[in-house]
Amino acid sequence: MNPAHLTTAQLMLWTGQQLAPRSPQYNSVFTFELHGPLDTDRFRRSFGRLVEECDNLRTVFSTTGGEVRQQVLAEAPRPLEFIRWSQSPASLEAWVAERGSQLLDLAVCCYDAVLVELAPDHHLFFLNQHHLIVDAWGVSVQYRRLSELYAAGAGAVEGNQPPGFRDYRRELPEGPIAEVPDYWSGRGAVVPPQLFGRDNTGGESRSPRVSVTLPDHLMRGLDALAAHPRVRHWTWNMTAFSVLSALLTAYVYRLTRQRELALGTPAAHRATPAERDLPGMLIEMLPLYGEVRSGDSFLQLIERQKESVNAFLRAARPGVIRPELAAGYNVVLNYITATFGDFAPDVSCRTRWHSPGHADPGHHLRLQVHNFDGGEGLTLEFDLNVAVFTSADRERVPAQFLRLLEGCLEDPERSVDAVDLLDDAEKAALCRLSRGAEGDAPAEDVLHLFEARAAAAPGAIALAYPGGRMTYGELDAAAGRLAGFLDRKLAAEGQIIAIHLPRCADLLVAILGCWKAGHTYLPLPADIPDGRLDHILRETEAALIITDAAHGRRVGDRGVTVLHLDEDRPLLERHAPLAPARRRTAPAYVMYTSGSTGVPKGVVIGHAALANYIDYARRRYVKGPAPVFPLFTTIGFDLTVTSLFTPLVCGGRLEIYPEPPPGTPDLAVVQVMEDDRCDVVKLTPSHLALLRGQDFRSHRLRTLIVGGEQFAADLAREIREAIPPAAEIINEYGPTEATVGCIVQALSGATPLTGAAVPIGRPIPNTEAWILDGSGGLVLPGTPGDLYLGGVCLAEGYWKREDLTADRFLPHPFAAHGRLYRTGDRARWNAAGELEFLGRQDRQVKWRGYRIELDEVENLLAGHPAIMSAAVELVEPIGDADSPPDRFCTRCGLPANYPSASFDAEGVCQLCRGFADYEEKARAYFRTPEDFRALFADRPVDRGAPYDCIMLLSGGKDSTYVLGQLVDMGLTVLAFTLDNGYISDQAIDNIRRVTHELGVDVHFGSTPAMNEIFVDSLQRHCNVCNGCFKTIYTLSTQLALEKGIPYIVTGLSRGQFFETRLTEELFWQDGMGDSKDIDAAILEARKAYHRADDAVSRLLDTSAFADDRVFERVQFLDFYRYTDVTLEEMYAYLDRRLPWVRPTDTGRSTNCLINQVGIHVHKKEKGYNNYAFPYSWDVRIGHKDRAAALEEINEEVDVAAVERIMQEIGYFAPADSYDRHQLLACYTAAEPLDPEDLRAHLRHFLPDYSLPQRFIRLEEMPLTPAGKVDRRALAEVASAQGAPTTDVAPPEGEIEALLAEIWGEVLGRERIGRHERFIDLGGHSLTAIRLAARISDTFELEVPLHRVFELPTIAQQASYLEETMLRLLAESETTAPEQSVDTTA
Amino acid sequence: MEERILTFIKNDLLDDGQLDLTPEDDVLTTGLVSSLAVFRLIDFLEQTFRVRIPAEEMTIENFISVAAMSNYVRSRQTEQQV
């Protein structure tokens, strides 16, 4: 039997198997437990007969030249095995599991069949088949047929013989059917969900199965729901499928909060009786779309799902499957309607489908539903991939799904969000975690705690600063005097007092004095920008500004009373200290933070919240003797609050590090560590990154408190090694709105750090941390959600921003009183009961339909051993399509956004610079008119051909000029014009007039396939010219062959030579440059060009090009290779000699109306005009001047006309417009790192779409005054650095060049870099098959398909090929010494 | 119309031209026409009678029998003319 191609569905399975050659993931293992008297010999013969009848059982698979084929063997490849079971009945299950996970050798036999005799009247029929040959329904067909054959005594049973799978297959086209039904097209935005926040990037296939039988009450409930008029569908099974697919969609939504979702679900393709009798593999797994809308009830969801199921089934025709569709789902619903029934009247059967323990790695969660024995209940089987689900999750998932189903069946009108997926115990545990420890809230505020210290030990040192010290007593007294002054000065308590001071002792005097007088302090750091200062003073209506002489000038004339603590000291000295002990009611401070909108907002923190935190910090962070804290961070950031107050409430000391002079970087953190005077240091991860590589192990440091930013595990590990072993690192999380730090994780030396970031831990006492879903419900542990905070720690709100306060501080959903603060951060509970921070909600971006967590990429990148710190942003790229390029080469006019364009200091592009080096060689390529005439010395017409040459006449100036010249030379010319349907009327008139005037015959070529060729050209090249040119070459060559004409003359401009024929590399290589070599190279390229697979080769007859001789029989001559003529000369000639009129109906440069469609699409998709490159060459070689070229490439196109033509030819721009943003990674490291290494590092953890396109090494990370990464500065860095430099490294060496050529053919792309990845270039499994085949062919080596994915770049494949070739060579030398002697002899 | 639908069901969906089927017979809930075959029937109705059948109108009431289908298709035809 002839080998045949695979169906696309089979090919996808086969590819999947190649990618995981050792995984039994596609074993379809069935057992049939037979009770009753069974004639085993008859059974054996019946099975033999079944294999004879079912061609799918005799099908095997093999690869030749890398292409897989299936073949039906004439004989049964393997008999039924018979085993008499002698072991314990219990061990049978293990045997089935073991046997069912054995790999089948697809080239030999795709099934494994065993009859096990357990007892005289008790048998087990085991049948394992590879999914390539069968689906579940097909197994039922085989089973029924087996039972018929058995009943008939294993003899022939005519009439019921199953039809051949071969015939079915033959009706399918090879490859997917061309049209994607509307149902699946344009759904690029539906992305696979991240279940439990995990992915299966490692291609894990282990997926243990958990089976549950639907309990009776749920089965009855399902029956009742199925009868509901809004639910009921054609049949019970259709109804149940709609309901279960709606519920699975709802469940995934509840797990992930993703509202739009695709489930993979098999289209059975068994509508008619004949199809239902086929034993083969007919199913195609296709995405079924579902959407959970806000506020949906189950009933509403089911109704919508029913419609989607209808649309799905209407669209699901055999052959629609294609690999891209599989990328949209990772949750699968497999609803199987097949039933099996009893084997014989006296032999009952229990049918089971066993998991081989593995499943397709792309199927993270599979739910299979069936009722094989046709009984009362449904069986639900969950296959759960181990990379995504922990063993605890695997227990949870079925229970949660059933709980959701139960909730739906109890009341289908209730909201999808309303059903609790946690059981009571789980819920109680989660609430316990969320509430944190209950502690006694401190009875006293921070001021009282300080005053108590001052009273107890007035002589102890409180503050140390350059040149001085202050005791607790002195500080308390100074603050008291200030309070006395304020008390007199201000009419009432509870005013806002702005403090505009540098880091100094007076800062503490000011704050404490302010509190003593019952006011609220407002920190205005010394370096606060003017605009911000104005805004804050205006909004707060501060009653007074406390500053010093040096800073007072900035705030002097703002209409607010100013107190200079230094100059006005004599004034203060006169005031008696205000007596302590009043209970404070005014807030402790108002701290302004930057809002995401850019308008700063004042967070109002009360004394109770502050006291709760400081009291916690005192008890938790301070161990041993009274500690020294440094003050070295800005007072405008609440991170600093820890250092300001914690030492002063426990008898410790504050070591003050003043700001550096304005304009110099604040490197106080380095000084702090060098000085080694402090025990407890509070800082940001960005600060820590500055300290990398230093050794503090012998320092006095006892505790590092890290806050303000996400803390990368890698940094934590490194720092942990660099500090004293007994020192502790505390990771503190807390927005300003929840007072400094409210969730805390301690890292001791032994704490394992598994994730990319340090967990943020658990809430501190009197604090709550809840992870809620979008509708305010508790999310499941492990599931990402929105982090809400509650408890004593919460701010009172935003100063004078009631709207914003109401928006962010919400009524507590689970308590009668209290509020929750919506942080805008995403987090989840990990298995250890700690919170993991997952990034800002606004740091989750969607890019080209994929969801990317910028923080995740950033953390992983920071984990690279050579990287000290990293930041990842989605930035606008250089040369955005919507903004025209702002620079053009000052010499040739090449735009700055032309790929890899780079300009030197004079604005000259690298092409112009390079050209200077080989200009001479390039000029040698050009010839003289005499050379041209010499070609015709032996004139073809004299040898009997009707014409000397064909001339390709477009009707434009260049080709018309050529035609005139040819005639003037006395040649007999046949003009060839392609009527592509869009030549302008004026151009046609020109052609007719000119050819008439010259007495030249003109042949108008045309093809009905023209529009299809245009569309293909637009899709492949973003222009129409490529397709049009190739059509012209093809049709004119046919004409030349037909008429025996040896030459075709083109009117290509010299600039176009460089676009289509010549590459600069031709002139670089040593030994090249001889125009003979160049001609030879061009000829080779032409051969490949004509043989490449595209619309022209599919739609026109290109068979002539298969034979190399055609390139000798018909040669192309480029007229302008032999003639150099300026534009003026050309026009002068045309005006003088020919009745040629400049066209006015197309734009100046062209005679073809469709040309501007190409220009428009090219500009839109690639950002620059497709003529930019050839015109730059026209300028470079002196054919055009720069101004003229620029004018033409910057000409506006008539978009309305373009859209009309696109409609006519049937071209539709890619549905979801191409997202041009780039993922940019900035990092600091000792030296620049290879971007490919960095990508390889990230690829261990991330899917390809999450990998940054650009990597930029920075000397240091730009930081905001608060010590956090300055993200706005990064985008500026990106644009300052210009176009990406990491792209497109050309292939190196012969092997890579050959590979690049093959890649180009297979992918239909040009200029592929040696480090570009196959998948990134649009490769998928089908193209991988072609690639592997062609590589194997070219190099005469067998390249397994999975290598294409394992070695995804040209560079990697080349080194693999090289190694393999060397190894084979070495082997042949050692195994065949004589032969090797022969060859060397 | 009923005759043409009956012929399509018998010949194309069930492969049995001799089948005894009347316009009033329940073809759906009896499983006579498989639930997947109904979608081919819908294709046939749309093409033959030049109507568009939206997914939300693919209900059991409209498709339970050949008579029901004919009524439904006629109502769609009238609707589309308006």
Side-chain angles (χ1 to χ4, degrees):
Chain A
M1 202 60 58
N2 285 336
H5 66 79
L6 273 58
T7 66
T8 308
Q10 284 182 307
L11 202 49
M12 286 170 64
L13 292 175
W14 190 82
T15 309
Q17 186 70 77
Q18 298 306 301
L19 292 173
R22 308 301 308 160
S23 168
Q25 62 198 38
Y26 299 121
N27 284 6
S28 307
V29 186
F30 278 78
T31 58
F32 306 90
E33 192 178 349
L34 306 170
H35 277 283
L38 189 78
D39 179 340
T40 53
D41 188 51
R42 188 160 140 194
F43 189 93
R44 183 183 50 73
R45 280 182 287 119
S46 303
F47 181 76
R49 183 83 202 165
L50 181 74
V51 179
E52 271 173 47
E53 285 188 1
C54 295
D55 62 355
N56 66 319
L57 282 167
R58 282 178 285 118
T59 301
V60 292
F61 298 80
S62 56
T63 48
T64 39
E67 304 250 0
V68 60
R69 289 283 182 264
Q70 57 190 326
Q71 188 169 10
V72 179
L73 303 173
E75 301 289 328
R78 179 188 277 187
L80 175 73
E81 193 179 324
F82 184 80
I83 294 178
R84 192 160 284 127
W85 195 253
S86 53
Q87 303 160 50
S88 74
S91 56
L92 185 65
E93 195 76 9
W95 178 85
V96 170
E98 196 279 324
R99 185 93 181 196
S101 62
Q102 284 181 12
L103 291 168
L104 295 160
D105 185 344
L106 302 180
V108 177
C109 179
C110 293
Y111 67 83
D112 177 24
V114 188
L115 185 64
V116 184
E117 187 175 279
L118 300 162
D121 287 344
H122 186 192
H123 294 81
L124 185 87
F125 173 42
F126 168 96
L127 180 61
N128 172 21
Q129 302 175 77
H130 197 279
H131 193 5
L132 272 170
I133 60 164
V134 81
D135 57 25
W137 184 279
V139 177
S140 76
V141 173
Q142 293 168 336
Y143 170 82
R144 268 195 305 279
R145 184 64 185 161
L146 182 65
S147 136
E148 282 170 8
L149 291 165
Y150 180 84
V157 197
E158 293 307 327
N160 286 337
Q161 180 159 343
F165 179 57
R166 203 181 312 158
D167 299 320
Y168 171 79
R169 229 171 44 215
R170 212 167 282 143
E171 291 167 18
L172 288 180
E174 182 167 0
I177 59 174
E179 293 273 307
V180 187
D182 286 348
Y183 183 76
W184 288 291
S185 61
R187 300 263 199 165
V190 178
V191 299
Q194 270 211 328
L195 303 168
F196 290 89
R198 298 190 197 101
D199 224 325
N200 183 14
T201 47
E204 173 65 70
S205 71
R206 278 176 299 146
S207 291
R209 180 169 290 182
V210 186
S211 290
V212 286
T213 306
L214 205 59
D216 283 346
H217 73 285
L218 293 187
M219 198 61 211
R220 284 196 303 275
L222 188 57
D223 275 332
L225 181 65
H228 191 291
R230 284 165 66 186
V231 176
R232 189 174 172 218
H233 210 326
W234 313 133
T235 59
W236 193 90
N237 273 329
M238 278 283 279
T239 313
F241 173 69
S242 297
V243 169
L244 291 173
S245 68
L247 276 161
L248 189 55
T249 303
Y251 177 57
V252 174
Y253 154 72
R254 290 289 304 271
L255 282 187
T256 61
R257 313 313 300 173
Q258 185 172 325
R259 293 189 176 277
E260 281 182 72
L261 181 76
L263 300 178
T265 195
H269 295 328
R270 292 176 186 274
T272 65
E275 289 162 345
R276 282 200 296 277
D277 285 343
L278 271 164
M281 212 304 277
L282 271 68
I283 61 161
E284 294 185 0
M285 188 78 82
L286 295 164
L288 167 67
Y289 296 106
E291 185 190 354
V292 182
R293 295 194 189 148
S294 180
D296 258 352
S297 69
F298 284 102
L299 216 45
Q300 284 168 316
L301 179 65
I302 292 169
E303 277 187 303
R304 192 174 316 115
Q305 191 72 14
K306 227 168 96 176
E307 283 177 31
S308 185
V309 167
N310 285 341
F312 172 93
L313 288 172
R314 279 211 65 189
R317 282 146 222 267
V320 296
I321 193 173
R322 57 201 66 224
E324 310 82 278
L325 292 179
Y329 59 82
N330 57 26
V331 178
V332 166
L333 174 61
N334 194 359
Y335 188 96
I336 302 168
T337 53
T339 52
F340 289 82
D342 282 340
F343 188 68
D346 52 353
V347 183
S348 69
C349 175
R350 180 171 165 248
T351 304
R352 284 176 68 196
W353 177 20
H354 299 263
S355 158
H358 294 249
D360 192 308
H363 301 172
H364 299 180
L365 186 167
R366 291 207 305 206
L367 170 58
Q368 353 255 359
V369 182
H370 61 76
N371 177 12
F372 289 150
D373 299 325
E376 294 294 301
L378 285 179
T379 302
L380 271 53
E381 298 185 311
F382 294 84
D383 293 343
L384 301 163
N385 191 294
V386 299
V388 178
F389 300 93
T390 64
S391 58
D393 295 334
R394 294 201 294 276
E395 282 174 27
R396 237 175 246 145
V397 167
Q400 290 173 346
F401 183 78
L402 289 185
R403 216 166 281 140
L404 190 69
L405 176 63
E406 183 158 23
C408 161
L409 297 178
E410 276 169 6
D411 179 8
E413 307 264 9
R414 78 202 286 194
S415 157
V416 169
D417 285 309
V419 177
D420 224 328
L421 296 187
L422 297 169
D423 67 24
D424 290 346
E426 285 172 320
K427 207 168 156 185
L430 188 57
C431 289
R432 261 197 311 281
L433 271 179
S434 303
R435 289 221 170 83
E438 272 187 44
D440 289 331
E444 297 193 301
D445 60 35
V446 170
L447 179 64
H448 282 91
L449 294 172
F450 163 75
E451 285 170 346
R453 282 284 159 191
I461 303 297
L463 308 177
Y465 45 92
R469 298 174 148 211
M470 202 179 229
T471 63
Y472 274 82
E474 288 163 349
L475 177 58
D476 191 42
R481 284 191 296 274
L482 173 61
F485 167 81
L486 293 174
D487 198 47
R488 289 266 172 95
K489 182 83 187 166
L490 300 174
E493 280 188 26
Q495 306 282 319
I496 300 272
I497 309 290
I499 299 179
H500 182 54
L501 285 169
R503 299 191 290 255
C504 62
D506 273 349
L507 176 66
L508 276 300
V509 173
I511 293 173
L512 296 170
C514 189
W515 282 347
K516 279 175 184 271
H519 302 297
T520 300
Y521 88 86
L522 167 72
L524 299 175
D527 59 353
I528 189 168
D530 277 337
R532 190 176 170 112
L533 182 75
D534 281 339
H535 169 83
I536 294 175
L537 286 177
R538 219 175 18 247
E539 188 171 90
T540 53
E541 294 172 350
L544 189 106
I545 302 174
I546 301 176
T547 181
D548 60 17
H551 295 83
R553 277 189 295 278
R554 282 192 62 200
V555 293
D557 51 357
R558 284 179 161 82
V560 185
T561 311
V562 176
L563 175 69
H564 298 93
L565 273 190
D566 45 0
E567 288 180 346
D568 297 335
R569 200 174 305 276
L571 176 77
L572 294 177
E573 307 267 314
R574 292 205 298 271
H575 288 272
L578 195 66
R582 269 180 294 178
R583 185 83 195 165
R584 316 291 145 193
T585 51
Y589 59 84
V590 176
M591 178 107 31
Y592 270 76
T593 66
S594 296
S596 49
T597 54
V599 181
K601 50 198 196 234
V603 180
V604 182
I605 299 292
H607 277 285
L610 179 63
N612 189 62
Y613 170 73
I614 294 294
D615 184 52
Y616 168 78
R618 168 180 73 158
R619 284 185 284 118
R620 177 66 188 77
Y621 305 155
V622 176
K623 288 168 185 166
V628 179
F629 279 65
L631 173 63
F632 70 100
T633 47
T634 172
I635 60 163
F637 180 26
D638 87 335
L639 175 115
T640 309
V641 165
T642 315
S643 309
L644 278 176
F645 305 116
T646 313
L648 300 185
V649 299
C650 59
R653 189 173 86 216
L654 190 59
E655 188 83 28
I656 299 174
Y657 285 82
E659 284 92 345
T664 49
D666 192 347
L667 293 174
V669 64
V670 178
Q671 195 62 46
V672 167
M673 296 308 286
E674 259 175 32
D675 289 353
D676 189 21
R677 286 203 286 258
C678 297
D679 307 294
V680 184
V681 180
K682 170 87 185 261
L683 35 53
T684 65
S686 290
H687 285 137
L688 274 183
L690 294 173
L691 303 175
R692 280 190 136 157
Q694 296 180 52
D695 185 356
F696 307 112
R697 278 175 299 178
S698 57
H699 280 216
R700 64 184 282 176
L701 185 71
R702 304 204 300 249
T703 308
L704 277 178
I705 309 168
V706 183
E709 282 178 303
Q710 189 165 11
F711 190 12
D714 177 57
L715 179 62
R717 268 190 291 268
E718 191 177 330
I719 293 298
R720 192 158 66 180
E721 296 301 311
I723 60 175
E728 199 175 27
I729 300 178
I730 308 282
N731 187 27
E732 207 181 57
Y733 164 91
T736 306
E737 288 86 341
T739 317
V740 192
C742 60
I743 301 177
V744 166
Q745 171 89 13
L747 286 183
S748 68
T751 314
L753 285 168
T754 48
V758 180
I760 55 176
R762 298 187 180 190
I764 68 169
N766 309 309
T767 296
E768 300 172 12
W770 299 92
I771 302 189
L772 304 180
D773 60 30
S775 47
L778 279 177
V779 305
L780 310 174
T783 299
D786 303 332
L787 177 60
Y788 288 76
L789 300 170
V792 183
C793 64
L794 289 198
E796 292 177 8
Y798 298 109
W799 182 259
K800 287 190 179 166
R801 294 293 303 274
E802 275 158 28
D803 51 336
L804 199 57
T805 304
D807 182 50
R808 302 305 291 258
F809 294 85
L810 311 167
H812 200 304
F814 315 125
H817 305 289
R819 299 171 303 156
L820 287 188
Y821 168 65
R822 182 163 61 84
T823 63
D825 290 334
R826 301 178 62 256
R828 69 163 165 246
W829 289 104
N830 68 15
E834 299 155 344
L835 284 163
E836 288 179 1
F837 175 80
L838 300 173
R840 295 283 309 160
Q841 275 163 10
D842 51 18
R843 292 274 292 156
Q844 183 191 63
V845 296
K846 241 187 177 184
W847 180 77
R848 297 187 187 170
Y850 296 109
R851 191 177 44 210
I852 299 173
E853 302 280 358
L854 296 177
D855 289 328
E856 185 186 16
V857 183
E858 195 166 290
N859 286 323
L860 290 168
L861 188 60
H864 186 282
I867 284 187
M868 295 192 283
S869 61
V872 174
E873 283 294 298
L874 197 62
V875 296
E876 294 276 340
I878 318 304
D880 189 88
D882 298 328
S883 56
D886 51 351
R887 292 178 73 199
F888 299 88
C889 170
T890 50
R891 209 172 282 171
C892 71
L894 190 75
N897 60 356
Y898 182 79
S900 75
S902 71
F903 296 156
D904 64 14
E906 285 143 39
V908 176
C909 74
Q910 85 276 20
L911 290 174
C912 285
R913 285 197 309 275
F915 183 60
D917 295 335
Y918 61 87
E919 185 171 0
E920 210 166 313
K921 265 186 177 176
R923 295 226 181 266
Y925 174 76
F926 296 105
R927 301 292 171 77
T928 64
E930 286 67 41
D931 294 335
F932 187 79
R933 284 199 197 92
L935 290 168
F936 289 90
D938 174 20
R939 291 190 51 187
V941 279
D942 298 339
R943 284 176 286 140
Y947 302 97
D948 289 315
C949 63
I950 288 176
M951 194 289 120
L952 304 180
L953 180 64
S954 70
K957 59 182 187 316
D958 300 73
S959 63
T960 304
Y961 177 84
V962 174
L963 185 64
Q965 293 288 323
L966 294 181
V967 172
D968 289 352
M969 283 180 198
L971 298 176
T972 310
V973 184
L974 172 63
F976 176 90
T977 298
L978 175 68
D979 180 2
N980 65 16
Y982 289 95
I983 303 184
S984 80
D985 291 343
Q986 293 180 13
I988 298 262
D989 288 346
N990 267 330
I991 289 168
R992 289 198 198 287
R993 266 196 311 273
V994 167
T995 52
H996 182 261
E997 170 77 22
L998 291 172
V1000 166
D1001 293 341
V1002 57
H1003 179 101
F1004 283 94
S1006 66
T1007 164
M1010 201 63 234
N1011 285 354
E1012 234 175 292
I1013 292 171
F1014 281 141
V1015 170
D1016 180 70
S1017 180
L1018 283 168
Q1019 283 165 348
R1020 273 173 213 271
H1021 309 289
C1022 299
N1023 67 35
V1024 289
C1025 297
N1026 275 57
C1028 198
F1029 272 46
K1030 198 166 175 186
T1031 306
I1032 293 172
Y1033 292 146
T1034 304
L1035 295 180
S1036 62
T1037 304
Q1038 281 167 3
L1039 185 66
L1041 286 171
E1042 206 177 287
K1043 296 193 183 287
I1045 307 170
Y1047 293 118
I1048 295 176
V1049 180
T1050 79
L1052 288 187
S1053 75
R1054 291 194 169 185
Q1056 283 171 318
F1057 293 178
F1058 280 92
E1059 184 189 20
T1060 58
R1061 313 249 146 113
L1062 303 176
T1063 70
E1064 42 183 340
E1065 292 84 356
L1066 281 176
F1067 303 104
W1068 288 350
Q1069 288 173 25
D1070 283 340
M1072 280 299 257
D1074 184 333
S1075 63
K1076 242 187 208 153
D1077 295 339
I1078 294 178
D1079 284 337
I1082 291 174
L1083 182 63
E1084 281 314 302
R1086 270 175 53 76
K1087 289 178 187 170
Y1089 169 77
H1090 280 290
R1091 291 165 189 171
D1093 173 39
D1094 58 13
V1096 171
S1097 62
R1098 272 186 281 113
L1099 299 165
L1100 302 182
D1101 178 11
T1102 54
S1103 54
F1105 295 109
D1107 185 346
D1108 269 1
R1109 280 172 303 182
V1110 70
F1111 297 97
E1112 290 163 28
R1113 286 169 61 196
V1114 180
Q1115 293 182 39
F1116 276 79
L1117 303 176
D1118 296 317
F1119 185 80
Y1120 290 107
R1121 184 180 176 189
Y1122 301 88
T1123 297
D1124 195 9
V1125 59
T1126 66
L1127 220 49
E1128 296 82 62
E1129 285 166 350
M1130 189 183 284
Y1131 279 125
Y1133 172 82
L1134 291 174
D1135 290 346
R1136 190 177 69 239
R1137 169 81 169 87
L1138 297 173
W1140 184 82
V1141 181
R1142 289 192 203 196
T1144 56
D1145 57 354
T1146 59
R1148 81 201 68 197
S1149 59
T1150 171
N1151 49 36
C1152 176
L1153 297 163
I1154 200 169
N1155 201 24
Q1156 52 177 340
V1157 174
I1159 295 173
H1160 176 75
V1161 169
H1162 201 276
K1163 275 185 167 172
K1164 208 167 156 130
E1165 298 291 321
K1166 300 203 165 174
Y1168 61 96
N1169 189 313
N1170 47 323
Y1171 283 89
F1173 183 72
Y1175 282 4
S1176 81
W1177 275 106
D1178 276 340
V1179 176
R1180 211 165 286 125
I1181 57 183
H1183 180 64
K1184 245 193 193 105
D1185 67 36
R1186 179 175 179 270
L1190 280 183
E1191 198 177 333
E1192 290 193 30
I1193 63 173
N1194 287 329
E1195 199 172 63
E1196 291 292 317
V1197 298
D1198 177 352
V1199 176
V1202 162
E1203 281 172 356
R1204 183 177 46 75
I1205 296 175
M1206 294 204 300
Q1207 196 102 53
E1208 276 170 21
I1209 63 171
Y1211 173 78
F1212 301 99
D1216 42 345
S1217 73
Y1218 193 68
D1219 186 346
R1220 265 171 242 285
H1221 281 82
Q1222 284 186 325
L1223 208 52
L1224 165 77
C1226 295
Y1227 63 92
T1228 59
E1231 54 188 37
L1233 303 169
D1234 181 353
E1236 278 314 308
D1237 278 355
L1238 298 177
R1239 287 199 189 100
H1241 166 76
L1242 291 175
R1243 210 168 274 131
H1244 285 303
F1245 315 99
L1246 292 175
D1248 279 341
Y1249 56 75
S1250 292
L1251 304 182
Q1253 282 90 50
R1254 295 181 65 194
F1255 292 88
I1256 296 180
R1257 173 178 166 262
L1258 303 175
E1259 285 299 323
E1260 57 188 46
M1261 207 47 87
L1263 298 185
T1264 64
K1268 300 189 192 190
V1269 172
D1270 185 347
R1271 299 195 174 274
R1272 244 171 250 175
L1274 290 179
E1276 287 160 24
V1277 164
S1279 58
Q1281 290 239 344
T1285 51
T1286 59
D1287 286 343
V1288 199
E1292 291 173 4
E1294 210 174 329
I1295 295 180
E1296 289 191 12
L1298 271 170
L1299 281 172
E1301 203 177 300
I1302 298 173
W1303 279 49
E1305 285 165 21
V1306 169
L1307 295 166
R1309 291 177 63 120
E1310 293 161 32
R1311 274 191 231 139
I1312 296 174
R1314 59 193 298 261
H1315 294 307
E1316 289 190 276
R1317 288 166 49 79
F1318 185 64
I1319 301 274
D1320 299 343
L1321 298 172
H1324 51 71
S1325 54
L1326 293 180
T1327 39
I1329 292 163
R1330 293 179 55 207
L1331 186 69
R1334 293 195 187 202
I1335 296 175
S1336 303
D1337 220 38
T1338 307
F1339 293 92
E1340 293 177 1
L1341 280 173
E1342 198 63 33
V1343 178
L1345 179 71
H1346 60 94
R1347 289 271 176 228
V1348 172
F1349 292 96
E1350 287 165 11
L1351 307 166
T1353 68
I1354 288 178
Q1356 287 169 300
Q1357 288 180 359
S1359 64
Y1360 165 77
L1361 287 171
E1362 205 162 347
E1363 280 164 27
T1364 310
M1365 285 190 273
L1366 287 173
R1367 182 171 49 77
L1368 291 176
L1369 197 65
E1371 279 170 16
S1372 71
E1373 276 168 6
T1374 52
T1375 54
E1378 284 163 35
Q1379 282 166 5
S1380 75
V1381 169
D1382 280 348
T1383 51
T1384 51
Chain B
M1 182 182 288
E2 289 179 350
E3 205 44 52
R4 287 175 77 179
I5 301 176
L6 282 171
T7 310
F8 178 80
I9 293 178
K10 286 195 274 190
N11 292 339
D12 290 71
L13 294 184
L14 302 178
D15 225 356
D16 182 0
Q18 302 309 307
L19 188 79
D20 187 21
L21 187 66
T22 74
E24 283 70 35
D25 283 343
D26 173 350
V27 294
L28 270 187
T29 55
T30 54
L32 184 69
V33 173
S34 81
S35 48
L36 298 179
V38 186
F39 292 97
R40 297 205 185 166
L41 185 54
I42 287 170
D43 279 351
F44 167 78
L45 296 176
E46 285 200 342
Q47 279 159 23
T48 312
F49 304 111
R50 298 185 183 271
V51 289
R52 212 184 65 74
I53 302 175
E56 64 270 22
E57 292 185 11
M58 297 175 193
T59 61
I60 198 161
E61 293 75 17
N62 290 341
F63 289 86
I64 185 116
S65 65
V66 172
M69 291 177 220
S70 306
N71 283 337
Y72 168 70
V73 169
R74 273 191 215 100
S75 75
R76 284 297 297 165
Q77 284 173 328
T78 330
E79 235 171 86
Q80 284 178 1
Q81 273 158 16
V82 177

